[in-house]
Amino acid sequence: MTRFIAPLLFLLSLTVTAQAPMVPTDYFDDPLQVPLALAGTFGELRSNHFHSGLDIKTQQREGLPVYASAEGYVSRINVAHYGYGKALYIQHPNGYTTVYAHLKNFSPEIEAYIKKLQYQNESYEVEVYPNASELPVERGELVASSGNTGGSGGPHLHFEIRDGEQRPMNPFMFGIEIEDTRAPIVSGVYAYPKGENAHVNGSAQRQKLRLIPQQDGSFKAEAIEACGEIGFGINTVDQLNAAPNRNGVYRIETGANGETLFQANFERFSFSETRHLNQLIDYGYYTQNNSRIQKLFVEPSNPLSIYREVNNQGFLNVKDSLSYNYTIKVSDFAGNERIVNIPIEGKHRNDIIEDPSNTTEFFVPANTGAQFESNGIDVYIPKNSLYQDAYLDISFEDEKINLHEDVIPLHTNISIGFDVSKYKPEDREQMFIAQLNKWGNPSYSTTTKDGERFTTRTRSFGTYTLARDTQAPRVVPVNFKDGQWISGNKDIKVKISDDLSGISSYRATVNGKFILMEYEYKQNLLTHDFSDNVITETKNQLKIEVIDNVGNTTIFESTFFRK
Ligand SMILES: [Zn+2]
C-alpha cells in the first residue's frame, strides 16, 4: 500500500513547497489594448538563449499603440539593426523595469528626442539612458507603436518585466492573465544511462521511450529494464487557447518512489546565464535533429539558476531487482499538468556495450583548454569554453580547417588563425575568414587582420576557410528615379545588398548634409522619411556610400526634386 500511494504524495508536497518570489500582482498592465494572444512565453527555449519575456501578437500588423504598463520614466532607448530593433525601457518606482521591443517607432515626444540624437551622432543605431526628469510617463500613456524591427520574425511586441538587477522575470507572475486550459504537450521522453555498467534495455546509449497515452491524459512509458545511474530527457511545449504557437512550459518536476529528484522553474534568470541553455538541452541532438530535448538531470558543469530541488543531480540510481516508478510532471503557469509515468525494473547486466570512446589526437580538457596548429592554421580553445573534456575531430586542409562538428556547445569564443603571408597585401584586402554551412556555402566570420595573420572568434564548431569577396555592394533605388520630381513621396527607399561578406556600414547625405536612413536588414532596405524635415531645397543631390565587410565600397548618386 505504501508503495502505491507514495508517488501521489510526492506530487502534492512539491506543489505546496514551490515558492514563487514575492512580486506585485496588480501593478503592471498588458501594454496593448487588443485581446491578448501570445507567440512566445517566458523561458521558452530559443537558439542559444531562453526567451526573456512575452511575444504579444499584434494582429499580423505593425503600428498598434503601445502603452506604458505602469507609471515611471523612460530610462533607456536603444535603436539597433539587430536584436531588439527599436526598444524602450521604462523604470518604475517599485524597482522593476518594463521593456518594449521590435517597435516601429516611438511616441512623438520620444521620437523627437531620439531623432535629435540620431542626427547629432549621424547614426541610425543609438543608445541613450535619459534621467528621471526627461521623459516621465503615466500608466497607460502612449509610448510607442508596435513593429517588426530587429531580429523579429513577424510583427509583434516583445514585452519584458525585469527586477532591480535587470534579470527578466516571468510576466505571468505579475498577474498578466491569459486563457489557458490546455495541458503541456509531451512529444518525446528519453533515458540517458550514465557511467560504467549503466544501461537502459541493455544499451549504454540514449534511448527513446515508447509512450502510451492513458485515459486521464497522462502517458505511461513502456516498461524499461535498467541499472545504474539513469537520467531522463523530455520534448515538451505548452499551448495557450488563443493561438497555436508552441510555447515554453512553466515547471518540470521529477521523482521516483516518493523521492523528489529534480525541479526546474521558469520564473527568473539572468542574461549572463542565458547561453547555458545549451547545457539544459541535449545540444548534439538539437543541432542534428532541430528538436530540443530538455535534460531532467543537472551535470556539474551546468550553472543555471532555474533549478529548485535537485537530488543526486536528478539521476535515478537503479539497483538490481528493485522496481521503480519514475514520474515526470510538466506544468504551465495556469496549473495545467501533463504526467508521464515510467515503470523501471532494475536488472544488472554484464554484457553492456559501452559508448565507443572516440579518442583522437586532439584532446581538450575543459578546465585548461588547448591549442592546435598545422598547415598555417591554428586554433585556440580557452579554458572553460567547453563544458566537458572532449576529443575533437580536427582536420587541417589547404586554407581550410574542419573543426569538429557543431554537436558540442561552446560557452565562450574560441579563436582560429590563418597564416596569409603567401598573399600580397593588396590581395589580402578582399579576403576574409568564412564559415561554411552544411551545404558548403560561406558566410562571413568577423575577421581581424593583423599583417600576415587573419583571426576570427567563434562560438560554434564547424568548417572555416579563407574566402574572397570581390564584388562591391549593390544599391538600387526603390521608389524614385534619377532626375525625378518626387514631391508626393513620403520617403525615399533604396535596396542595399552584398553578395558575400555582407554590409558593414552605410552613410547617406543630401547636398552634402547627413540624412538619417533606417536600415531594415530583413528587407535589405534603407529608408529616409521626409518628415524629418532636413531636406528643404528643391534640387537635391543624394549620395549613399555602402561598404561591405572587406571594404569594397559603392557610391550611389542620384538627383531628385521636391517642393
Ligand atoms: Zn520576444
PDB file of all heavy atoms in Angstrom, residues 40-41 46 49 51-56 84 101-102 151 156-160, ligand 1:
ATOM      1  N   GLY A  40       4.936  33.890 -27.968  1.00  0.00           N
ATOM      2  CA  GLY A  40       6.054  33.365 -27.188  1.00  0.00           C
ATOM      3  C   GLY A  40       5.860  33.636 -25.711  1.00  0.00           C
ATOM      4  O   GLY A  40       5.278  34.656 -25.334  1.00  0.00           O
ATOM      5  N   THR A  41       6.319  32.692 -24.870  1.00  0.00           N
ATOM      6  CA  THR A  41       6.212  32.883 -23.422  1.00  0.00           C
ATOM      7  C   THR A  41       7.598  32.944 -22.802  1.00  0.00           C
ATOM      8  O   THR A  41       8.599  32.688 -23.462  1.00  0.00           O
ATOM      9  CB  THR A  41       5.422  31.736 -22.758  1.00  0.00           C
ATOM     10  OG1 THR A  41       6.075  30.502 -23.050  1.00  0.00           O
ATOM     11  CG2 THR A  41       3.993  31.701 -23.239  1.00  0.00           C
ATOM     12  N   ARG A  46      15.037  28.958 -27.011  1.00  0.00           N
ATOM     13  CA  ARG A  46      15.368  29.527 -28.325  1.00  0.00           C
ATOM     14  C   ARG A  46      16.824  29.201 -28.642  1.00  0.00           C
ATOM     15  O   ARG A  46      17.517  28.598 -27.844  1.00  0.00           O
ATOM     16  CB  ARG A  46      15.154  31.049 -28.296  1.00  0.00           C
ATOM     17  CG  ARG A  46      13.731  31.486 -27.935  1.00  0.00           C
ATOM     18  CD  ARG A  46      12.865  31.595 -29.171  1.00  0.00           C
ATOM     19  NE  ARG A  46      11.494  31.961 -28.833  1.00  0.00           N
ATOM     20  CZ  ARG A  46      11.017  33.209 -28.884  1.00  0.00           C
ATOM     21  NH1 ARG A  46      11.819  34.213 -29.215  1.00  0.00           N
ATOM     22  NH2 ARG A  46       9.754  33.448 -28.609  1.00  0.00           N
ATOM     23  N   HIS A  49      19.575  30.838 -26.262  1.00  0.00           N
ATOM     24  CA  HIS A  49      19.040  31.642 -25.151  1.00  0.00           C
ATOM     25  C   HIS A  49      17.626  31.205 -24.769  1.00  0.00           C
ATOM     26  O   HIS A  49      16.933  30.566 -25.541  1.00  0.00           O
ATOM     27  CB  HIS A  49      19.047  33.140 -25.481  1.00  0.00           C
ATOM     28  CG  HIS A  49      18.048  33.540 -26.536  1.00  0.00           C
ATOM     29  ND1 HIS A  49      18.222  33.283 -27.867  1.00  0.00           N
ATOM     30  CD2 HIS A  49      16.860  34.196 -26.444  1.00  0.00           C
ATOM     31  CE1 HIS A  49      17.192  33.759 -28.546  1.00  0.00           C
ATOM     32  NE2 HIS A  49      16.339  34.313 -27.713  1.00  0.00           N
ATOM     33  N   HIS A  51      13.878  32.599 -23.889  1.00  0.00           N
ATOM     34  CA  HIS A  51      13.111  33.789 -24.218  1.00  0.00           C
ATOM     35  C   HIS A  51      12.848  34.573 -22.936  1.00  0.00           C
ATOM     36  O   HIS A  51      12.437  34.004 -21.924  1.00  0.00           O
ATOM     37  CB  HIS A  51      11.793  33.417 -24.891  1.00  0.00           C
ATOM     38  CG  HIS A  51      11.101  34.597 -25.466  1.00  0.00           C
ATOM     39  ND1 HIS A  51       9.821  34.937 -25.125  1.00  0.00           N
ATOM     40  CD2 HIS A  51      11.536  35.539 -26.325  1.00  0.00           C
ATOM     41  CE1 HIS A  51       9.487  36.036 -25.770  1.00  0.00           C
ATOM     42  NE2 HIS A  51      10.511  36.420 -26.501  1.00  0.00           N
ATOM     43  N   SER A  52      13.075  35.897 -23.003  1.00  0.00           N
ATOM     44  CA  SER A  52      13.122  36.690 -21.770  1.00  0.00           C
ATOM     45  C   SER A  52      11.829  37.440 -21.480  1.00  0.00           C
ATOM     46  O   SER A  52      11.787  38.235 -20.541  1.00  0.00           O
ATOM     47  CB  SER A  52      14.286  37.676 -21.860  1.00  0.00           C
ATOM     48  OG  SER A  52      14.200  38.391 -23.080  1.00  0.00           O
ATOM     49  N   GLY A  53      10.782  37.207 -22.260  1.00  0.00           N
ATOM     50  CA  GLY A  53       9.539  37.928 -21.988  1.00  0.00           C
ATOM     51  C   GLY A  53       8.367  37.274 -22.689  1.00  0.00           C
ATOM     52  O   GLY A  53       8.370  36.078 -22.946  1.00  0.00           O
ATOM     53  N   LEU A  54       7.358  38.103 -22.976  1.00  0.00           N
ATOM     54  CA  LEU A  54       6.205  37.630 -23.742  1.00  0.00           C
ATOM     55  C   LEU A  54       6.301  38.217 -25.146  1.00  0.00           C
ATOM     56  O   LEU A  54       6.631  39.390 -25.309  1.00  0.00           O
ATOM     57  CB  LEU A  54       4.897  38.113 -23.103  1.00  0.00           C
ATOM     58  CG  LEU A  54       4.623  37.683 -21.663  1.00  0.00           C
ATOM     59  CD1 LEU A  54       3.284  38.274 -21.185  1.00  0.00           C
ATOM     60  CD2 LEU A  54       4.605  36.157 -21.534  1.00  0.00           C
ATOM     61  N   ASP A  55       6.034  37.390 -26.161  1.00  0.00           N
ATOM     62  CA  ASP A  55       5.859  37.918 -27.517  1.00  0.00           C
ATOM     63  C   ASP A  55       4.364  38.059 -27.729  1.00  0.00           C
ATOM     64  O   ASP A  55       3.647  37.061 -27.869  1.00  0.00           O
ATOM     65  CB  ASP A  55       6.458  36.965 -28.553  1.00  0.00           C
ATOM     66  CG  ASP A  55       7.965  37.083 -28.637  1.00  0.00           C
ATOM     67  OD1 ASP A  55       8.505  38.089 -28.121  1.00  0.00           O
ATOM     68  OD2 ASP A  55       8.598  36.187 -29.216  1.00  0.00           O
ATOM     69  N   ILE A  56       3.903  39.327 -27.727  1.00  0.00           N
ATOM     70  CA  ILE A  56       2.468  39.573 -27.809  1.00  0.00           C
ATOM     71  C   ILE A  56       2.089  39.809 -29.263  1.00  0.00           C
ATOM     72  O   ILE A  56       2.693  40.632 -29.956  1.00  0.00           O
ATOM     73  CB  ILE A  56       2.073  40.795 -26.950  1.00  0.00           C
ATOM     74  CG1 ILE A  56       2.577  40.607 -25.506  1.00  0.00           C
ATOM     75  CG2 ILE A  56       0.564  41.008 -26.990  1.00  0.00           C
ATOM     76  CD1 ILE A  56       2.277  41.779 -24.593  1.00  0.00           C
ATOM     77  N   TYR A  84      16.852  43.566 -30.508  1.00  0.00           N
ATOM     78  CA  TYR A  84      15.564  44.149 -30.130  1.00  0.00           C
ATOM     79  C   TYR A  84      15.071  45.233 -31.097  1.00  0.00           C
ATOM     80  O   TYR A  84      13.985  45.762 -30.913  1.00  0.00           O
ATOM     81  CB  TYR A  84      15.654  44.740 -28.714  1.00  0.00           C
ATOM     82  CG  TYR A  84      15.614  43.733 -27.584  1.00  0.00           C
ATOM     83  CD1 TYR A  84      15.842  42.387 -27.811  1.00  0.00           C
ATOM     84  CD2 TYR A  84      15.331  44.132 -26.286  1.00  0.00           C
ATOM     85  CE1 TYR A  84      15.806  41.464 -26.774  1.00  0.00           C
ATOM     86  CE2 TYR A  84      15.293  43.217 -25.239  1.00  0.00           C
ATOM     87  CZ  TYR A  84      15.536  41.888 -25.492  1.00  0.00           C
ATOM     88  OH  TYR A  84      15.491  40.982 -24.462  1.00  0.00           O
ATOM     89  N   ALA A 101       9.939  45.959 -27.188  1.00  0.00           N
ATOM     90  CA  ALA A 101      10.941  45.823 -28.256  1.00  0.00           C
ATOM     91  C   ALA A 101      10.327  45.513 -29.620  1.00  0.00           C
ATOM     92  O   ALA A 101       9.151  45.171 -29.716  1.00  0.00           O
ATOM     93  CB  ALA A 101      11.945  44.749 -27.881  1.00  0.00           C
ATOM     94  N   HIS A 102      11.161  45.628 -30.647  1.00  0.00           N
ATOM     95  CA  HIS A 102      10.813  45.473 -32.072  1.00  0.00           C
ATOM     96  C   HIS A 102       9.816  46.556 -32.506  1.00  0.00           C
ATOM     97  O   HIS A 102       8.959  46.325 -33.368  1.00  0.00           O
ATOM     98  CB  HIS A 102      10.235  44.084 -32.377  1.00  0.00           C
ATOM     99  CG  HIS A 102      11.092  42.946 -31.905  1.00  0.00           C
ATOM    100  ND1 HIS A 102      12.428  42.827 -32.245  1.00  0.00           N
ATOM    101  CD2 HIS A 102      10.824  41.880 -31.088  1.00  0.00           C
ATOM    102  CE1 HIS A 102      12.926  41.734 -31.677  1.00  0.00           C
ATOM    103  NE2 HIS A 102      11.986  41.152 -30.961  1.00  0.00           N
ATOM    104  N   GLY A 151      15.681  41.626 -34.830  1.00  0.00           N
ATOM    105  CA  GLY A 151      15.581  40.197 -35.103  1.00  0.00           C
ATOM    106  C   GLY A 151      14.207  39.657 -34.805  1.00  0.00           C
ATOM    107  O   GLY A 151      14.038  38.801 -33.944  1.00  0.00           O
ATOM    108  N   HIS A 156       5.142  41.850 -33.951  1.00  0.00           N
ATOM    109  CA  HIS A 156       4.710  41.521 -32.586  1.00  0.00           C
ATOM    110  C   HIS A 156       5.380  42.484 -31.623  1.00  0.00           C
ATOM    111  O   HIS A 156       6.302  43.209 -31.997  1.00  0.00           O
ATOM    112  CB  HIS A 156       5.053  40.076 -32.217  1.00  0.00           C
ATOM    113  CG  HIS A 156       6.502  39.817 -31.919  1.00  0.00           C
ATOM    114  ND1 HIS A 156       7.453  39.637 -32.909  1.00  0.00           N
ATOM    115  CD2 HIS A 156       7.172  39.722 -30.749  1.00  0.00           C
ATOM    116  CE1 HIS A 156       8.635  39.432 -32.357  1.00  0.00           C
ATOM    117  NE2 HIS A 156       8.506  39.480 -31.037  1.00  0.00           N
ATOM    118  N   LEU A 157       4.909  42.492 -30.394  1.00  0.00           N
ATOM    119  CA  LEU A 157       5.561  43.278 -29.347  1.00  0.00           C
ATOM    120  C   LEU A 157       6.254  42.320 -28.387  1.00  0.00           C
ATOM    121  O   LEU A 157       5.623  41.420 -27.828  1.00  0.00           O
ATOM    122  CB  LEU A 157       4.536  44.109 -28.568  1.00  0.00           C
ATOM    123  CG  LEU A 157       5.133  44.885 -27.377  1.00  0.00           C
ATOM    124  CD1 LEU A 157       5.997  46.046 -27.863  1.00  0.00           C
ATOM    125  CD2 LEU A 157       4.035  45.387 -26.452  1.00  0.00           C
ATOM    126  N   HIS A 158       7.548  42.520 -28.212  1.00  0.00           N
ATOM    127  CA  HIS A 158       8.283  41.763 -27.195  1.00  0.00           C
ATOM    128  C   HIS A 158       8.224  42.583 -25.909  1.00  0.00           C
ATOM    129  O   HIS A 158       8.642  43.731 -25.891  1.00  0.00           O
ATOM    130  CB  HIS A 158       9.721  41.533 -27.647  1.00  0.00           C
ATOM    131  CG  HIS A 158      10.595  40.921 -26.594  1.00  0.00           C
ATOM    132  ND1 HIS A 158      10.805  39.567 -26.503  1.00  0.00           N
ATOM    133  CD2 HIS A 158      11.299  41.478 -25.589  1.00  0.00           C
ATOM    134  CE1 HIS A 158      11.615  39.320 -25.480  1.00  0.00           C
ATOM    135  NE2 HIS A 158      11.937  40.467 -24.902  1.00  0.00           N
ATOM    136  N   PHE A 159       7.666  41.990 -24.860  1.00  0.00           N
ATOM    137  CA  PHE A 159       7.450  42.703 -23.596  1.00  0.00           C
ATOM    138  C   PHE A 159       8.128  41.959 -22.454  1.00  0.00           C
ATOM    139  O   PHE A 159       7.967  40.753 -22.304  1.00  0.00           O
ATOM    140  CB  PHE A 159       5.942  42.808 -23.323  1.00  0.00           C
ATOM    141  CG  PHE A 159       5.593  43.413 -21.987  1.00  0.00           C
ATOM    142  CD1 PHE A 159       5.870  44.748 -21.713  1.00  0.00           C
ATOM    143  CD2 PHE A 159       4.977  42.639 -20.999  1.00  0.00           C
ATOM    144  CE1 PHE A 159       5.545  45.305 -20.477  1.00  0.00           C
ATOM    145  CE2 PHE A 159       4.653  43.190 -19.760  1.00  0.00           C
ATOM    146  CZ  PHE A 159       4.940  44.527 -19.500  1.00  0.00           C
ATOM    147  N   GLU A 160       8.896  42.693 -21.664  1.00  0.00           N
ATOM    148  CA  GLU A 160       9.606  42.084 -20.531  1.00  0.00           C
ATOM    149  C   GLU A 160       9.325  42.833 -19.243  1.00  0.00           C
ATOM    150  O   GLU A 160       9.123  44.045 -19.254  1.00  0.00           O
ATOM    151  CB  GLU A 160      11.131  42.189 -20.728  1.00  0.00           C
ATOM    152  CG  GLU A 160      11.727  41.218 -21.696  1.00  0.00           C
ATOM    153  CD  GLU A 160      13.223  41.457 -21.886  1.00  0.00           C
ATOM    154  OE1 GLU A 160      13.895  41.997 -20.977  1.00  0.00           O
ATOM    155  OE2 GLU A 160      13.705  41.100 -22.970  1.00  0.00           O
TER     156      GLU A 160
HETATM  157 ZN    ZN B   1      10.416  38.060 -27.877  1.00  0.00          ZN
END
